[in-house]
Amino acid sequence: MQPLYAVDFDVSSTRGDSFDVLGRLREHLAAWLNSPPSGGPTAADLVVAGEALLAAKPPGREQRQVRWWVEAGDDAQALRVRLSHPVESGAQFVTQVTMAKVADQVSLRVMMGQEIPSGWLAPIQDPSLYRPNVLGRVCGDEALGLRTLSQLVTGRFEPIRQSEQVAVLAESLAAPTRLPTLLLQPRDESAWQLARRASSQLVGLAQVVTLNYATSRALSRELPELQVPDGGALLVWPDLRLSHPRYSRPEIRLEGMVEHWMRTLAELSVLARGSDRGWDAARQSARATAARRAAAQVEEARRLGDAAAERAALEQRVRELEESVSEWEGLAVSEAARADENISKAADAAKFEEDATRWRKLYEQERASSGSPSAPVDPWESIPDLQKGVSAPTYRALEEASEGRIVFTPNAERSWKSDQYRFHEEMTEQLVLLAKAAADLYEQSPTSMPYLDEWFSTQHGLKVATSDLTIKKNPRMRYATYGGAQHDTLPHVKVRDGVAHSDCGRIHFALDPDNRRFVVDHVGVKKY
């Protein structure tokens, strides 16, 4: 089999040591093989070796074939299931699942690959890869805990919404023994859907983490080499010294991004995951157990003087040894072939890297000689910080970057000019978050407005309150006039809370649905 994808997990129980982890995995395997219902093996059938034909999936194609093997010794046992079906290229697409228990440790390994007909010389395109549904079943089982490289695997993304969480993330990213990490900064619902799909499909290949503007900036301060594009993504390799692929906001909107990441990571997983250690350990344990049993039978036959029984025991042992030799020879051949393939890939990679470096230098020389303009600057990256008493440059830059989705009243400038709020950079970050929230909110259709309290917090890391009893009773503090209309500025962003009044910052704004924008009327210390 030509391997295309490989993931390994350590599996444990969340319900105590008495829980039968291996039995639960067999149940998931049986449910996967019988979806749709096809008369496939039950969990009880998977205790001994067998094979079966399953219904085509989808209907109308050729039937799928499943075979399974069991190895068991005194200190290890394993089940291997191999599901295959033909694909349009003429090859057989194979999904192979191994569950093993060595001592008290349970492991799960899933591989996908293809078998190419012997003697074919024509090139065969690699098939599209999607996470096997059996992994979705296992990840969704609350009774099981999965880990890869000591990292918890859930099939869900990890949201980093508050700056206080960034230090833990930075420490995790700096660890060399971890999965690749896909950092996403979603700015709209399609990007959140991408995060959900990527975390589900890339389970065991990469961890998916979502950031907002504030946590993305905090991470870049902790690890300057990690700059997540605004609204885009960054694929972070375990070695931070490497170049990490960046994807802009328009790029992650393209069809097939998850499939692109799957192809990239799956090819690397085949090189990194190595052999099926759980299966190998179970086979060795089974052979050692058989050898001890045969030796005991021979010894007993000799003690009883039963030459026929002794001869039968020795013949059985010879057959077992011959099978073992055959298996080891087959393994040696396959490993040699895999080594040759890896050497070839390494040579190709070196050549491609050399070519890429050469073309990059030529491109940069051409750009320098022709005086080509540099790449456009992201307006969100050039927002000036508020200065003491000076807010106009910041406000105008935010209005321009948001394309008018946020505006500032003259009172917003007066409030900052007369204010003594001392955390200028933090207030600027909160204004940027609010401006991005305005841009994202009004990009949606009017019929799909979210629940704002939760939306501000989960998607933009803003602490927004939509009511205040004191201001609610005071029309002069509550209402503002802008653009010939009266606006309710009761909603406000809390910039620090539960601190001294001079450090308690507020941004009061109104939602202006008619003009699809936010109107900001106060920036500074809490009004009362």
Side-chain angles (χ1 to χ4, degrees):
M1 178 176 71
Q2 176 197 359
L4 302 172
Y5 165 104
V7 290
D8 286 315
F9 305 93
D10 295 320
V11 189
S12 60
S13 166
T14 61
R15 297 183 179 175
D17 295 338
S18 61
F19 187 80
D20 184 5
V21 174
L22 216 55
R24 180 59 70 92
L25 289 176
R26 271 195 296 268
E27 291 173 4
H28 285 307
L29 263 178
W32 169 59
L33 294 172
N34 286 282
S35 178
S38 55
T42 66
D45 295 330
L46 296 176
V47 175
V48 295
E51 60 182 299
L53 288 176
L54 307 181
K57 186 179 179 181
R61 295 192 176 182
E62 292 187 44
Q63 287 183 300
R64 299 170 295 154
Q65 183 181 38
V66 59
R67 298 183 64 191
W68 62 97
W69 301 264
V70 175
E71 292 283 1
D74 291 338
D75 53 4
Q77 56 178 306
L79 165 67
R80 171 177 283 180
V81 175
R82 184 183 178 92
L83 179 65
S84 63
H85 63 87
V87 291
E88 293 179 357
S89 66
Q92 287 281 329
F93 187 81
V94 177
T95 304
Q96 182 172 285
V97 182
T98 304
M99 59 180 67
K101 184 175 184 180
V102 181
D104 293 326
Q105 302 298 314
V106 177
S107 63
L108 176 68
R109 178 182 175 92
V110 180
M111 287 190 66
M112 292 189 291
Q114 63 181 350
E115 291 182 336
I116 300 171
S118 177
W120 275 36
L121 295 178
I124 292 181
Q125 184 175 359
D126 290 344
S128 299
L129 297 177
Y130 302 93
R131 181 216 66 198
N133 287 335
V134 66
L135 277 183
R137 293 176 178 275
V138 174
C139 286
D141 190 338
E142 294 182 355
L144 301 176
L146 275 68
R147 290 186 176 273
T148 296
L149 298 176
S150 300
Q151 291 180 281
L152 184 65
V153 175
T154 64
R156 298 183 296 274
F157 63 80
E158 181 68 28
I160 303 297
R161 298 167 180 159
Q162 305 299 330
S163 297
E164 295 79 11
Q165 300 172 282
V166 171
V168 177
L169 174 62
E171 183 179 353
S172 172
L173 292 173
T177 54
R178 61 166 176 84
L179 290 171
T181 302
L182 181 63
L183 300 177
L184 279 163
Q185 191 193 124
R187 291 276 309 278
D188 51 41
E189 182 55 32
S190 66
W192 284 105
Q193 291 176 2
L194 179 72
R196 285 188 284 271
R197 185 160 180 264
S199 57
S200 174
Q201 286 291 313
L202 303 179
V203 62
L205 295 174
Q207 299 282 66
V208 179
V209 174
T210 60
L211 304 167
N212 55 40
Y213 176 78
T215 54
S216 180
R217 286 195 64 178
L219 179 63
S220 67
R221 288 193 291 269
E222 291 268 354
L223 298 171
E225 61 269 46
L226 302 184
Q227 302 286 335
V228 182
D230 178 53
L234 183 72
L235 182 58
V236 183
W237 303 119
D239 186 347
L240 295 185
R241 296 170 299 178
L242 299 176
S243 175
H244 309 288
R246 292 164 53 91
Y247 306 89
S248 67
R249 187 180 184 187
E251 283 178 311
I252 68 170
R253 286 174 165 172
L254 298 174
E255 290 289 331
M257 280 308 304
V258 174
E259 289 74 18
H260 164 74
W261 290 324
M262 172 69 91
R263 286 193 301 272
T264 300
L265 295 166
E267 185 169 351
L268 294 173
S269 74
V270 173
L271 299 174
R273 294 294 174 256
S275 61
D276 191 340
R277 290 185 292 273
W279 180 252
D280 293 343
R283 293 178 73 177
Q284 291 174 19
S285 177
R287 299 297 178 265
T289 300
R292 287 193 295 271
R293 186 169 53 247
Q297 290 172 348
V298 170
E299 184 63 28
E300 179 65 13
R302 286 174 177 170
R303 188 182 67 81
L304 297 174
D306 189 342
E310 180 182 354
R311 185 166 53 254
L314 290 171
E315 289 174 351
Q316 176 64 26
R317 180 61 183 145
V318 167
R319 285 193 296 270
E320 290 172 351
L321 290 172
E322 288 175 343
E323 290 176 5
S324 181
V325 168
S326 177
E327 289 168 359
W328 281 110
E329 286 177 345
L331 181 62
V333 170
S334 65
E335 287 299 310
R338 196 163 72 91
D340 289 342
E341 181 182 2
N342 291 342
I343 291 171
S344 175
K345 286 182 177 180
D348 289 343
K351 181 179 182 299
F352 292 151
E353 184 176 3
E354 181 181 335
D355 290 345
T357 301
R358 180 166 58 87
W359 284 109
R360 189 182 300 113
K361 287 181 179 178
L362 290 173
Y363 171 71
E364 290 171 352
Q365 290 171 2
E366 177 63 23
R367 282 188 57 186
S369 63
S370 62
S372 299
S374 58
V377 176
D378 183 350
W380 294 106
E381 297 297 328
S382 55
I383 306 294
D385 283 342
L386 291 164
Q387 303 298 322
K388 184 176 181 179
V390 180
S391 59
T394 305
Y395 293 171
R396 300 294 85 79
L398 289 170
E399 289 172 344
E400 181 179 352
S402 68
E403 298 180 348
R405 297 302 185 194
I406 193 168
V407 292
F408 295 83
T409 68
N411 189 61
E413 294 194 32
R414 285 193 296 270
S415 64
W416 183 259
K417 186 174 183 178
S418 62
D419 208 283
Q420 299 300 313
Y421 193 73
R422 59 196 180 99
F423 301 105
H424 299 168
E425 184 177 348
E426 185 176 0
M427 183 65 81
T428 304
E429 284 193 358
Q430 294 293 302
L431 283 171
V432 173
L433 283 176
L434 186 64
K436 288 194 172 191
D440 292 350
L441 180 69
Y442 290 119
E443 280 184 5
Q444 305 179 57
S445 64
T447 58
S448 64
M449 291 293 104
Y451 293 106
L452 289 181
D453 289 3
E454 180 182 354
W455 181 81
F456 276 120
S457 174
T458 59
Q459 298 209 23
H460 290 278
L462 285 164
K463 297 178 181 178
V464 172
T466 54
S467 185
D468 183 295
L469 290 177
T470 301
I471 295 176
K472 191 174 184 179
K473 298 174 183 178
N474 188 329
R476 291 187 61 186
M477 285 197 290
R478 178 172 181 176
Y479 294 101
T481 300
Y482 182 80
Q486 188 179 60
H487 300 281
D488 186 349
T489 65
L490 191 58
H492 54 279
V493 179
K494 295 183 176 182
V495 188
R496 298 188 178 234
D497 207 19
V499 294
H501 182 265
S502 60
D503 291 345
C504 192
R506 293 292 186 267
I507 303 169
H508 281 266
F509 66 98
L511 278 72
D512 183 3
D514 292 338
N515 295 296
R516 301 181 68 75
R517 65 188 181 184
F518 290 171
V519 179
V520 178
D521 187 61
H522 173 87
V523 180
V525 173
K526 189 176 180 180
K527 286 186 175 183
Y528 60 89

